[in-house]
Amino acid sequence: MDGMHTTTSFPTDWQLARLKDIQATPSGWIPAEVPGCVQRDWARDRGWPDPNCGQNIRLYDGLEDSAWLYRTKVPHDRELTAQDQRLVFLLGGVDHHAEVRLGGRQIADLTGMESRLEWDVTNDGGNTLEILLHPVPKRHGRPGDRSQASATTKPAVSYGWDWHPRFIPQGLTGTVGFFLCPAVRVTDADVRYELSEDFSCVRLWVTAQATPDAGALAWQLHDPEGICVLRGVVGECAVLSSPRLWWTHDHGEPTLYRLEIHSPDSPLPIWQMRIGFRRVRLVMPPDGWREPSRFPKSRSLPPITLELNGRPLFVKGTNLVPSDLCPSPVDNEPLINLAREAHFNLLRCWGGAAAPSSGFFQACDRIGILVWQEFPLACNLYPDSLEYLAELTAHALLLVRRVRRHPSLALWCGGNELFNSWSRMTDQSLALRHLNRICLEEDPGTPFLPTSPMEGMGHGDYRFLNEHGQDVFVTFQNASNTAYTEFGCPGPASVEAIQKMIPNDELWPPCPGGSWETHHGFGAWEQKHWLCLDVLEHYFGPCPDLETMVARGQWLQAEGYRGIYEEARRQWPQCSMALNWCFNEPWPCASNNSLLSWPHDPKPAYFTVSEACRPVIASARIPRFQWRCGDNFTAEIWMLNDTVRQLPQGEIEVSLREGERRLELLRWHHQDIGAQASLRGPSVHCSLPEVTTSDCFVLELIVQDHPERNSSYCLSLIPKSSPTSCAVPITPELNR
Amino acid sequence: MDGMHTTTSFPTDWQLARLKDIQATPSGWIPAEVPGCVQRDWARDRGWPDPNCGQNIRLYDGLEDSAWLYRTKVPHDRELTAQDQRLVFLLGGVDHHAEVRLGGRQIADLTGMESRLEWDVTNDGGNTLEILLHPVPKRHGRPGDRSQASATTKPAVSYGWDWHPRFIPQGLTGTVGFFLCPAVRVTDADVRYELSEDFSCVRLWVTAQATPDAGALAWQLHDPEGICVLRGVVGECAVLSSPRLWWTHDHGEPTLYRLEIHSPDSPLPIWQMRIGFRRVRLVMPPDGWREPSRFPKSRSLPPITLELNGRPLFVKGTNLVPSDLCPSPVDNEPLINLAREAHFNLLRCWGGAAAPSSGFFQACDRIGILVWQEFPLACNLYPDSLEYLAELTAHALLLVRRVRRHPSLALWCGGNELFNSWSRMTDQSLALRHLNRICLEEDPGTPFLPTSPMEGMGHGDYRFLNEHGQDVFVTFQNASNTAYTEFGCPGPASVEAIQKMIPNDELWPPCPGGSWETHHGFGAWEQKHWLCLDVLEHYFGPCPDLETMVARGQWLQAEGYRGIYEEARRQWPQCSMALNWCFNEPWPCASNNSLLSWPHDPKPAYFTVSEACRPVIASARIPRFQWRCGDNFTAEIWMLNDTVRQLPQGEIEVSLREGERRLELLRWHHQDIGAQASLRGPSVHCSLPEVTTSDCFVLELIVQDHPERNSSYCLSLIPKSSPTSCAVPITPELNR
């Protein structure tokens, strides 16, 4: 809804030819969808089977080394074009490098999905518009993996990842086509603002690019009720007193104002956009300056506590990945709504993928979810070469200018895991220094991180059970990071989803090498990931069938994730973020760390995580997942409060449930709990009873008068004498 | 010698008036030295006693809150000015803020010692040139300490430091005065270059600002023998094949070329400068990517290994501080030569002080010593305010452009200890992001650090004995930092120097509160620093007299520093830098961590450090400084080789000397030692004999056929039964 006020789309038919190289002459044409991806067009024309099933995706191998020529006729029916209108060709982005020709004459050479073209064709002589897509960039001499993407802004994820097949799309993105536009129009506009330190007023500057005859442009600012609260002139400053601030959904209202730009000749606005006013900072936690304390002394850890409008937040969220293998105009709103329902207040848009569309940011603005936006660098050593830096800085400038006015933007970040051994970039890398520079020049009010993780922050673990025999509860209770910005617990997709992606003859037992491996059940991170059959066997013995495997794997994932999110919250304010890897999937994964199966189907873990992220909860710090009958069970009981309200005293009843039996352990009468504070309560102790009907027991925390704060944990229980194994599939309350 | 080829100074008399504020009318004039410092002029006129003695420095308190007016007559004797000459007023810098007026008309408003003014007065109507100095900047509401300097580029050190009295100078710096210059001239020139990856060629661009009638300028590059090896045109590129590289004195020749700029009309060059070609990078040590290894995983440590022309260096050096309380044209060459003789290859010019003059960089270029240059931020929280950022960025731009072409420049750094609790800046601070930006834009080939220390690097300790009873040997043998960029061991000045700075009636015993405290014997870092009488008493019992105190304090300093430098070298390549705090002093300090007493008189520690920094040495890793008779003494024997040559096998004889006795402990026949490598040898063990005549024993390492590689360590020895104390003053081989 942001942008030009009145335009009319003028659809044309597009055709596509596959070329062996950019010099080749087309020998045949197929219909093309625009915007779209040549691989989809080609597959449709060839009648290829569903790429999401079995190993069909491998049919696409090598297509990316072709050049592709799009063409369409320029609509020159003059009668359509009234005197005060222009016919304009818009191109919202190219994936990844294209030459645009009008009537055989090159009018643009574009690189990347942030590049834009707006070309007035009203009086242009050309009849045919052609777009020549180059083969995808592949860094010379690199093997067929993500390192081929190490000198380009094309997203590295397409070159193959542990949850993304190697599938390197090409195409046209964003808005593409011919449009009738008013002759007098704004072609681009932006608003910058500066909140006073005490938030009592905000200074605004509105800028606009317009057609030459647009005259002096004025603007109006309307509050959420539609009342005009401020007027100004484009290019000059104006001050709004007592602005209503933009907040995340869990801390207030995501207040948006509407800004309209008017020309003297037109009663209707010729441009409009939503804006919100917020101040985001990275600040130190309360004890952040205490260390280092001993000599020789290094620096204190860099800040990663996100402060919104002066209030430090505990950030609960997730890592968003592409929702499709092709860049697509897919509406992310279902994903964003699921994030909101999980009580998440931030989404990390990771550097392996392309930056989301403006529609995505508008939805986050509206729903009240922050966005951590990375530049397209991930897990590679991106060079200091002039060619790469030129492509990167051009891309970054466009991205920052497109996104900076969105109140949901919380953080710019250079990219993913660049300062680790598998990437080997450093603080001295010119690419990251340039990104820091561009963010400083174009958006100084938004924090910048060179990469994640920085010192103090943690990525991983991505295993329920590590090589030292420690489960996730132990791993995170032993950790003391300032932010957990990636961590994973793998879990399989549903039986139904697996039955769709794995052909019947491969379905059971799962084996490496075939469709299970193509869909990341094996050979993903390490050979055994992400099905992790060894871990399932460690806890439960061999899986007899698909249904049992799925139930057990989803159980581990659900309780593992619950444990990590709650532990991170218990570590507040020293720790201020918990973002799991990852929220969703670009295609069907047999098993993955995701909370949602493709396209956005919640796994059981989605529900345990959303329980763990409720604003106020009772929480148990449980030392491990699996117990034996007769063990002395123990757990610390806590109350966690992420709200800014103080909670009055109350009572919590703690009990164990095993089969039909229920054992009350203690009642904790807790005192008042401060705003944004945790309270550690007593520890429970009991000897675990003998197994009766099930292989699990449930620790229940019942909060008197507040059932919405109850928590329960489903843990593994095995007979005293038996080896680790369980006879029956476990389906506790997780599956709903 | 760099700069304009022919200028003639045209001296004039300068006068100075003290004003209560910048609006006040002068009521009297005194003679002024230019360049110079108003405090010096005022003291000379008032006949004040030596500021270096006793507490006389306190006479100057408050002068800095005055404004000062300089004035001189513009020489307008036309006959002096030939037709092809111009009379130009040059001002090399102001300390700190000045308005310049010619004939009552303001011609410039300058801030800081990097600001420059060149004003052609040949045909200007003014007869009087006035310079109005504003009172020094003091941040509003701050106490009388360095925090008053937290929103200015004026060096913070002047506001008081633990080795610098509070003395805040004002004045004119650099070249100041009237000069006859050729009418056709270059006013500024620079050269930028890019070495090819394999060093086989270098691309040069020479730029110049010249008077309008200068015509097309050409340049010539002369090698050290004076042979012209390349010619070019200003503003265009040219390529030199097989350039001779610039090296530090310990790794090769500091090769300098001479670049001359010629105008078409003049047979003589109209500008010349020395340049050298080098490539400096910060690279990871060999095992630098190994950590972190466990999940949740943070980043690897940032690189601090300095690589010169592709060769990683072990950096041995020191922190240089101002050599005077006033910015002065003092020739630093004696200091630089002393650094070279100590085998230092890098000087850190710390952010608390003003950047050195161009003459300093020229000397470092010539002598072959690298410079780590910081911007003027130190131990303060510098704000994000627009006013401060404007002053800082203007200053930084001038500094970077002035210094970047010097081959000795190794590193830009935002400032000192900014990411620690006493400063509280962070990676998000706009000042540091702007400095990173400016260095990237203006000098991308030189590394940039936001501050020192960064992660992995260490500052401190500054005590021989810490609060846990560990001496420096223990502290550093337990440390595993990537670079020790500051560490100190305090030691007193010589008896003669102390007798000059402390009045006779205060001389013995030293007491807090008077001249001893003014000269940093007490109340410096903590109350007991830097005399540290408690530490002397801990080891030796009470000091009977000044001579004993000085001898004991200098002994601890000398052996402490030797131990740290050698330990840092043994930790190579994981550790790659050892820079002590500090080299010199701005005025007489009774005791200080410096190696040189003011102005540049070596303390005994200077000689032990220069022994520890010889390119190849035998070295002992000794677990502590003080031993008792009968103790089982032990030490690891090492050979350290900083050269790029492999050392052939050899023999080392290790013995103990106590009084007249000599005890041979072992002979180590070591194998070949690799280039830039250390070799750990055997450990010696022996029971320490009873004390005879002295309170120390010496561990001697004699390298067969290479006496220049011998090392010896003088350690404290106390009787088995006695409490820690020694009866006679110790003056081992340290004092020479």
Side-chain angles (χ1 to χ4, degrees), chain A residues 406-477:
Chain A
H406 289 282
S408 55
L409 175 70
L411 197 57
W412 290 110
C413 176
N416 184 64
E417 294 168 6
L418 302 174
F419 293 166
N420 289 89
S421 58
W422 50 96
S423 300
R424 302 200 167 209
M425 295 181 82
T426 77
D427 315 68
Q428 302 302 324
S429 294
L430 295 187
L432 299 175
R433 294 182 66 195
H434 274 289
L435 293 175
N436 192 344
R437 169 183 68 77
I438 288 169
C439 290
L440 176 68
E441 289 172 342
E442 300 291 328
D443 190 19
T446 302
F448 174 83
L449 284 187
T451 189
S452 179
M454 292 297 287
E455 307 79 13
M457 300 164 59
H459 276 202
D461 204 341
Y462 305 90
R463 296 169 299 183
F464 190 91
L465 185 75
N466 74 13
E467 73 275 29
H468 307 292
Q470 295 171 333
D471 69 27
V472 283
F473 296 178
V474 180
T475 301
F476 284 84
Q477 289 172 22

Side-chain angles (χ1 to χ4, degrees), chain B residues 383-652:
Chain B
D384 286 349
S385 70
L386 292 178
E387 297 74 12
Y388 172 63
L389 294 177
E391 180 179 331
L392 177 68
T393 54
H395 173 97
L397 197 66
L398 291 165
L399 174 59
V400 173
R401 288 181 177 167
R402 174 166 73 84
V403 171
R404 64 184 171 191
R405 77 177 164 74
H406 289 283
S408 55
L409 176 69
L411 197 56
W412 291 110
C413 177
N416 184 64
E417 295 169 7
L418 301 174
F419 293 165
N420 289 91
S421 58
W422 49 96
S423 300
R424 302 201 168 209
M425 294 182 81
T426 77
D427 314 69
Q428 302 303 325
S429 294
L430 295 186
L432 299 175
R433 293 182 66 194
H434 274 290
L435 293 174
N436 191 344
R437 170 184 69 78
I438 288 168
C439 289
L440 175 68
E441 288 171 343
E442 300 290 327
D443 190 19
T446 302
F448 174 84
L449 284 186
T451 189
S452 181
M454 292 296 287
E455 307 80 13
M457 299 164 62
H459 275 205
D461 204 343
Y462 306 90
R463 298 169 297 183
F464 190 90
L465 185 74
N466 73 14
E467 73 274 30
H468 308 290
Q470 296 170 333
D471 70 25
V472 284
F473 296 177
V474 179
T475 301
F476 284 85
Q477 288 171 22
N478 285 347
S480 60
N481 294 77
T482 53
Y484 301 101
T485 49
E486 275 195 22
F487 51 85
C489 253
S494 69
V495 171
E496 299 70 31
I498 290 175
Q499 285 168 338
K500 272 192 213 155
M501 71 184 93
I502 309 289
N504 237 328
D505 56 347
E506 297 184 60
L507 200 56
W508 193 257
C511 293
S515 297
W516 279 101
E517 183 151 337
T518 300
H519 290 269
H520 318 295
F522 297 97
W525 198 41
E526 295 175 12
Q527 181 52 32
K528 58 199 176 186
H529 297 116
W530 291 113
L531 273 181
C532 306
L533 297 177
D534 59 330
V535 175
L536 297 184
E537 184 156 345
H538 168 91
Y539 285 109
F540 310 116
C543 288
D545 52 40
L546 180 66
E547 288 71 15
T548 309
M549 183 191 79
V550 166
R552 291 174 179 175
Q554 291 190 341
W555 179 18
L556 291 187
Q557 184 186 36
E559 287 301 339
Y561 268 136
R562 190 209 298 274
I564 302 172
Y565 275 94
E566 290 192 11
E567 177 59 25
R569 290 183 65 180
R570 287 190 293 265
Q571 293 178 13
W572 163 265
Q574 192 54 40
C575 166
S576 64
M577 265 192 209
L579 313 176
N580 88 298
W581 184 271
C582 52
F583 196 39
N584 58 318
E585 299 175 344
W587 86 315
C589 294
S591 188
N592 188 6
N593 292 299
S594 59
L595 298 175
L596 307 176
S597 276
W598 184 83
H600 35 64
D601 294 337
K603 297 182 187 175
Y606 170 82
F607 297 105
T608 55
V609 167
S610 72
E611 285 175 8
C613 293
R614 289 167 293 164
V616 181
I617 59 167
S619 172
R621 193 165 194 265
I622 302 167
R624 64 177 193 268
F625 170 70
Q626 191 168 61
W627 300 80
R628 278 175 192 273
C629 300
D631 276 357
N632 278 317
F633 175 77
T634 181
E636 280 173 14
I637 310 303
W638 290 63
M639 280 294 289
L640 308 179
N641 177 19
D642 277 357
T643 74
V644 291
R645 292 176 301 281
Q646 177 167 304
L647 302 183
Q649 52 184 340
E651 194 166 83
I652 295 169

Side-chain angles (χ1 to χ4, degrees), chain B residues 292-349:
Chain B
S293 57
R294 294 197 64 161
F295 291 109
K297 206 170 266 193
S298 179
R299 59 167 291 183
S300 296
L301 291 175
I304 191 65
T305 300
L306 215 138
E307 185 195 79
L308 178 64
N309 303 330
R311 181 185 301 172
L313 305 185
F314 187 87
V315 167
K316 294 172 284 200
T318 186
N319 283 273
L320 202 73
V321 300
S323 52
D324 196 346
L325 297 180
C326 298
S328 66
V330 164
D331 187 0
N332 286 105
E333 202 141 335
L335 282 175
I336 302 170
N337 280 323
L338 281 165
R340 193 225 171 287
E341 284 161 29
H343 307 285
F344 288 162
N345 53 23
L346 183 140
L347 300 171
R348 175 174 175 237
C349 295

Side-chain angles (χ1 to χ4, degrees), chain B residues 94-107:
Chain B
V94 298
D95 186 14
H96 174 74
H97 178 195
E99 298 166 39
V100 185
R101 301 176 193 146
L102 185 60
R105 175 175 56 96
Q106 181 170 315
I107 59 169

Side-chain angles (χ1 to χ4, degrees), chain B residues 71-137:
Chain B
R71 74 172 179 195
T72 192
K73 281 216 178 321
V74 180
H76 275 299
D77 187 345
R78 302 285 169 188
E79 284 155 35
L80 282 173
T81 319
Q83 201 156 22
D84 58 352
Q85 287 188 319
R86 310 292 298 175
L87 184 64
V88 170
F89 175 67
L90 296 180
L91 175 54
V94 298
D95 186 14
H96 174 74
H97 178 195
E99 298 166 39
V100 185
R101 301 176 193 146
L102 185 60
R105 175 175 56 96
Q106 181 170 315
I107 59 169
D109 187 297
L110 302 173
T111 300
M113 288 182 261
E114 295 300 328
S115 59
R116 298 276 178 284
L117 177 66
E118 178 171 341
W119 195 266
D120 189 331
V121 296
T122 319
N123 301 319
D124 204 297
N127 287 316
T128 306
L129 190 122
E130 290 176 319
I131 303 177
L132 175 67
L133 277 185
H134 288 232
V136 306

